[in-house]
Amino acid sequence: MTERAEGYYDHGTAAERWARAGLFFDAREYATAARVLEPLTAEAPEQLAARLLLARAYYHSAQLRRAEAELRAILERWPVEDYAQLMLGRTLERQGRLAEAAPYLRLAAAMSGDFDED
């Protein structure tokens, strides 16, 4: 990728880059959204929304190992984030790691109050 193209992804204020990432995500350009979000989340790791969007962008662009790593980092910092629990479970499922996924999916369901009634 050219230096000019890279400059586009990291150009502007944090708010402008956040908006740009959202536009790429909404346009289903998930890998490009991730490229915008990676430096943004590195600059402000305490911003949960940006980190969740990065994990979603990785998931939707089939960068499942990266999604898993980001989600695990999120849950280390915010263990009660039920959406991250759900996403990690789905990410593990998509990798065929069903036994590993099950506890995260159960916890997400319990945290959100979405119980299966047998």
Side-chain angles (χ1 to χ4, degrees), residues 48 54 57 83 86 98 109:
L48 177 60
L54 176 59
Y83 187 65
L86 174 65
L98 303 181

Side-chain angles (χ1 to χ4, degrees), residues 14 35 39 101:
R35 255 183 262 141

Side-chain angles (χ1 to χ4, degrees), residues 47-107:
Q47 295 297 319
L48 177 60
R51 295 190 69 182
L52 281 171
L53 189 60
L54 176 59
R56 291 176 62 203
Y58 285 149
Y59 178 85
H60 289 299
S61 61
Q63 298 179 63
L64 300 178
R65 293 288 184 183
R66 287 182 173 180
E68 178 185 349
E70 188 61 32
L71 290 162
R72 288 186 187 281
I74 289 168
L75 289 171
E76 186 175 305
R77 191 170 196 154
W78 295 281
V80 296
E81 178 53 51
D82 62 320
Y83 187 65
Q85 298 280 353
L86 174 65
M87 282 187 59
L88 181 54
R90 296 287 182 232
T91 299
L92 294 168
E93 271 186 335
R94 197 165 164 197
Q95 294 177 65
R97 296 160 58 191
L98 303 181
E100 285 180 70
Y104 294 101
L105 297 173
R106 279 194 304 273
L107 187 55

